[in-house]
Amino acid sequence: MDRRMRVFGALIFLIIVSPTLAFVAGADGPVLFQEALENGESTLSCDSSPDTAEDEIMLLVWYKDNESIYSYDARVGTEWCNIGFNASGRVIANMSSNPTTLTITALRDDDQALYHCRVEFLLSPTRNTGVNLTVIVLPSEPFFLDELGNTVTNKTRPYYEGDTLVLTCLVIGGRPPPKITWYSGDILVDASYSVSDIPNVRQNELYLPLTRDNADTLSCRATNTHLVKPLKANLLIELYLPANNVTVEWIQETTNGNIRSGDTVIVQCIAYGSYPIPDITWFLNHKSLSHHSNQTWNETLQAVTSRIALTPTRVDNNATLTCEAKNPVMPAGRNSKSASVSLNVTFGPVVHVTRFEDEKNEVIELDTLILKCKVEANPPASKLFWYYNDIEIKDGIRGIRVSSNALVIDEVSRSDSGRYSCAARNNIGETKASPINISVLYPPACTKLGIVLKKETFICNVKGLPTPDTYFWHINQVDYDAQHLTTGSNTLSLEQVAGPFSESLNVSCEADNGIASQDKSCNRVIRIGHLKPQQPQQCDLAFEYKEFQIRCLPVENATYYELSLWRLSTTNTSLVLDQKRSLEVGNSLALMQNEEPWLVRGELGLLKAGDEAGAAACNRYGCSAALLLRPTEGLLSAAMPPWWKFFTERDIGISIGVLLLVVMFVCSTVLAVRLAKRSRTKPVPVIQVLQLDDVTRDYLSRTSDIHGLPSCSLRSNSSDYSEDGDSPSLADCRYPHIPQDWIPPPDVTLTLQRESSV
Ligand SMILES: *[C@@H]1O[C@H](CO)[C@@H](O)[C@H](O)[C@H]1NC(C)=O
Ligand SMILES: *[C@@H]1O[C@H](CO)[C@@H](O)[C@H](O)[C@H]1NC(C)=O
Ligand SMILES: *[C@@H]1O[C@H](CO)[C@@H](O)[C@H](O)[C@H]1NC(C)=O
Ligand SMILES: *[C@@H]1O[C@H](CO)[C@@H](O)[C@H](O)[C@H]1NC(C)=O
Ligand SMILES: *[C@@H]1O[C@H](CO)[C@@H](O)[C@H](O)[C@H]1NC(C)=O
Ligand SMILES: *[C@@H]1O[C@H](CO)[C@@H](O)[C@H](O)[C@H]1NC(C)=O
Ligand SMILES: *[C@@H]1O[C@H](CO)[C@@H](O)[C@H](O)[C@H]1NC(C)=O
Ligand SMILES: *[C@@H]1O[C@H](CO)[C@@H](O)[C@H](O)[C@H]1NC(C)=O
Ligand SMILES: *[C@@H]1O[C@H](CO)[C@@H](O)[C@H](O)[C@H]1NC(C)=O
Ligand SMILES: *[C@@H]1O[C@H](CO)[C@@H](O)[C@H](O)[C@H]1NC(C)=O
Ligand SMILES: *[C@@H]1O[C@H](CO)[C@@H](O)[C@H](O)[C@H]1NC(C)=O
Ligand SMILES: *[C@@H]1O[C@H](CO)[C@@H](O)[C@H](O)[C@H]1NC(C)=O
């Protein structure tokens, strides 16, 4: 044993003193591969347990690249360590552990080497174990350069969707050389790294067409060991994107988007995926809604929310409500996205009645009348009603047909004029249209009244719709030409009709209202005798200015007077018209304005007993009956010149002598009169105040007082005086009809005593 020990001792000494010992991997022993990070530590293991229990370890030596760095002498338990290798005291050996270990900390770049341990046993052969230690040197953090060579940190410059991003990721150093890869989010997009032009730098140039989906955070990863996670640098891509999805939804309770007209609802629009934050605009039927709503940005959803309060009315039914999200930084055309909803605004019916294909509310009788009921309602009206003068029309009544929205009257009659209305009902309510007034026009027709004369005006009573605007008049009288007149109203003043007039006029009128002219004209025989003035009542005869005068109080409405003088024929059997003349009122002769009251005054010349003077009041419609006056005896004698006057007239030879006598007589008479009435200067008229009216005249004519002569004075107002002086025959001069038992009233005043103030 001792000898053996001594032999080993010499060998161990030899080993210890020789600083190097070649180790051929594989041939001298197995080689383990081990990796460790620079500045990290690595534990080299060496199996030093003997194969058999009898055996024992003698010596253990660690070599680095054939050079010894550590030894352990198991016989004496002494350790040795290369000073240079353990300069910083970084080597720790544990010979009591199994396997024994040699731990190197604070690993340096040059610690990468092929290490091996050699173990000498007492009995067993030497054992060699190799460890190929790789010291990993990490590269620098990755960094980014854009295509222009500028460094990019944290965020790229802005890009538009579809642009190609060009970026280079660079890494300095690293052993082994690192792999450089690009990731978009967690997806590997480029692993094509390469050596850079710059020494000790590796790079990976990325060409990435940008889309919404790969616009995640970009990262560049560099790795040369599995011992630590890859080194990573992130970069945000600033990508301008339009909203990719816009939604519009009702916030407040609306059943399936149905809105009752007038209700307020809130609509929400959410626009997702726009960068930067978009502007939300609302449109109702392409018209921008000015009241812009609250717009909020939700970072987590990357969404903009906008709400708007809306109070739609029926005109908004079926309108399109659009929410548009517009990216302010993007070029037009690819900057916006919108979404729409249709409004279903429910409302009660809105009803109008109109004429079918006609705007006027007039229809001509017997034409067809079609009325339309225009209904607007949502939901559509379920029922329709028609009204005539506010009473509901049942189909089939009065020849009325109701078909869908129309009301048809095939042959409209004038009694169908009135207010028509319709009403419609849906589940919101019922509405009645404001009625339309339908006028049924018809041609004019004569009414029962026909033509009437009121005062001096004819009225043509016709009925027609519209009221006639043209009236054709035809005036016929016996012996006169027919007159045709046209008026714009239903009246015709007699002033428009040319005279003269006979007692009765045959008047007809015919109206036209534009619809048609009158079918049958109105006809009437109209008497106008009553339009003549009254017979003068207040007249007298006077002898004045050496002649007889008839004087009357004026008669109302008389425009002139007709004076007539009837003389008793020589045979004393009849009265013959001597003269007849008109006396215009306004004529200075007839009007003596100084007198009070004024009188109609007509000179008659001289009258004899039995003569009669008549005065009739006249106007354009004719003359009244003449009032006849007969001079009384007193008046005649007052007017009669003295008997010798006849004489002087006949004997001119003695006229001068007689003239003297006359002068004397006149002088004495004047003297006598002056003596009688001193105050008077004017000649005194001798007034006879007998007034005969028709009845009196007739009465007188039947009494002996006036020779029983009939008078034709009643005819004096008619046109057929016998102007030629022929005495009217007795047959012509009829007596007024007097009933047999007629007795003149006892107080008939035949004379009217007047004290003349003239
Ligand atoms: C150690 O020695 C062997 C044999 O001589 C040789 O093959 C090997 O290259 C050497 N190793 C080193 C690191 O010099
Ligand atoms: C290396 O040096 C340190 C400090 O000097 C010492 O504690 C340690 O034991 C040495 N290592 C070995 C294997 O000797
Ligand atoms: C050496 O290893 C043994 C077993 O693993 C352990 O118990 C002991 O504490 C170690 N000694 C040192 C100094 O680390
Ligand atoms: C040690 O490992 C490295 C890397 O794995 C290798 O290149 C080298 O050839 C190895 N050395 C030996 C001696 O096996
Ligand atoms: C990049 O981001 C980091 C961390 O958020 C921050 O500290 C730094 O200031 C940013 N750099 C730039 C240029 O914004
Ligand atoms: C819109 O986008 C949101 C979030 O991106 C999504 O939840 C929703 O389903 C999308 N709607 C439509 C219609 O695409
Ligand atoms: C808008 O915002 C105001 C205040 O935040 C709020 O009182 C109002 O109700 C909002 N309007 C809508 C329609 O949401
Ligand atoms: C954003 O939307 C989410 C999901 O709807 C919600 O939980 C969150 O409260 C919203 N944030 C804001 C600030 O409104
Ligand atoms: C609503 O609008 C649509 C499309 O514009 C149209 O087809 C439809 O007839 C409309 N409905 C009503 C009730 O107006
Ligand atoms: C609108 O709402 C009414 C009532 O619910 C319904 O009858 C009608 O069909 C709706 N119209 C549309 C176009 O949806
Ligand atoms: C319709 O006639 C009535 C009475 O006949 C009248 O009060 C109303 O004003 C008329 N309406 C129209 C539009 O002419
Ligand atoms: C006179 O004429 C007027 C107008 O025509 C009439 O009203 C009046 O009754 C007439 N008088 C007489 C007495 O006829």
Side-chain angles (χ1 to χ4, degrees), residues 297-298 300-301:
W297 171 245
N298 186 322
T300 48
L301 287 175

Side-chain angles (χ1 to χ4, degrees), residues 651-673:
D651 193 350
I652 298 159
I654 57 165
S655 58
I656 295 165
V658 171
L659 192 69
L660 283 170
L661 285 173
V662 168
V663 169
M664 281 170 64
F665 176 78
V666 168
C667 287
S668 63
T669 309
V670 165
L671 204 68
V673 168

Side-chain angles (χ1 to χ4, degrees), residues 142 144 152-155 217-221 232-236:
F144 307 101
V152 180
T153 49
N154 295 4
K155 200 172 175 187
T217 303
L218 269 184
S219 61
C220 178
R221 298 182 190 180
K232 198 164 123 184
N234 292 329
L235 202 54
L236 279 175

Side-chain angles (χ1 to χ4, degrees), residues 546-705:
K546 291 187 183 154
E547 62 178 339
F548 284 87
Q549 306 219 359
I550 184 162
R551 309 185 306 177
C552 294
L553 281 181
V555 174
E556 195 179 349
N557 294 351
T559 54
Y560 67 99
Y561 295 82
E562 204 169 69
L563 300 183
S564 49
L565 184 59
W566 296 77
R567 294 204 187 273
L568 198 61
S569 67
T570 46
T571 55
N572 275 6
T573 52
S574 61
L575 281 166
V576 177
L577 181 66
D578 180 66
Q579 57 164 289
K580 193 173 112 179
R581 69 172 201 274
S582 295
L583 202 62
E584 294 291 335
V585 176
N587 184 332
S588 56
L589 282 173
L591 262 176
M592 299 192 82
Q593 293 176 344
N594 293 340
E595 286 177 292
E596 195 60 47
W598 69 271
L599 293 171
V600 177
R601 181 182 295 263
E603 294 90 357
L604 297 169
L606 291 174
L607 295 182
K608 291 197 300 263
D611 287 352
E612 284 179 6
C618 302
N619 62 10
R620 61 195 305 264
Y621 306 113
C623 294
S624 67
L627 181 79
L628 293 169
L629 297 179
R630 188 178 295 156
T632 55
E633 296 290 337
L635 195 62
L636 284 170
S637 60
M640 185 64 78
W643 60 271
W644 42 264
K645 190 154 188 190
F646 288 102
F647 178 76
T648 53
E649 278 173 8
R650 290 180 186 199
D651 193 350
I652 298 159
I654 57 165
S655 58
I656 295 165
V658 171
L659 192 69
L660 283 170
L661 285 173
V662 168
V663 169
M664 281 170 64
F665 176 78
V666 168
C667 287
S668 63
T669 309
V670 165
L671 204 68
V673 168
R674 282 224 175 141
L675 284 170
K677 289 192 176 180
R678 269 174 206 160
S679 58
R680 293 221 177 145
T681 52
K682 280 170 76 182
V684 182
V686 182
I687 300 164
Q688 182 250 351
V689 263
L690 175 66
Q691 169 188 301
L692 294 180
D693 60 20
D694 292 344
V695 171
T696 316
R697 170 166 188 79
D698 184 64
Y699 174 73
L700 291 176
S701 70
R702 299 178 72 177
T703 59
S704 56
D705 184 37

Side-chain angles (χ1 to χ4, degrees), residues 210-239:
L210 290 171
T211 65
R212 179 181 298 281
D213 298 325
N214 64 17
D216 259 333
T217 303
L218 269 184
S219 61
C220 178
R221 298 182 190 180
T223 183
N224 58 356
T225 177
H226 56 270
L227 293 177
V228 290
K229 280 189 175 170
L231 295 168
K232 198 164 123 184
N234 292 329
L235 202 54
L236 279 175
I237 302 175
E238 185 162 20
L239 182 60

Side-chain angles (χ1 to χ4, degrees), residues 156 183 213 312 339 341 352 361 419 485 518 570 703 725:
T156 67
Y183 280 81
D213 298 325
V341 284
H352 291 288
N361 289 351
R419 293 189 309 282
L485 296 144
Q518 198 169 323
T570 46
T703 59

Side-chain angles (χ1 to χ4, degrees), residues 258 318 344 346 378-379:
N258 294 348
N318 211 25
N344 187 357
T346 58
N378 188 21

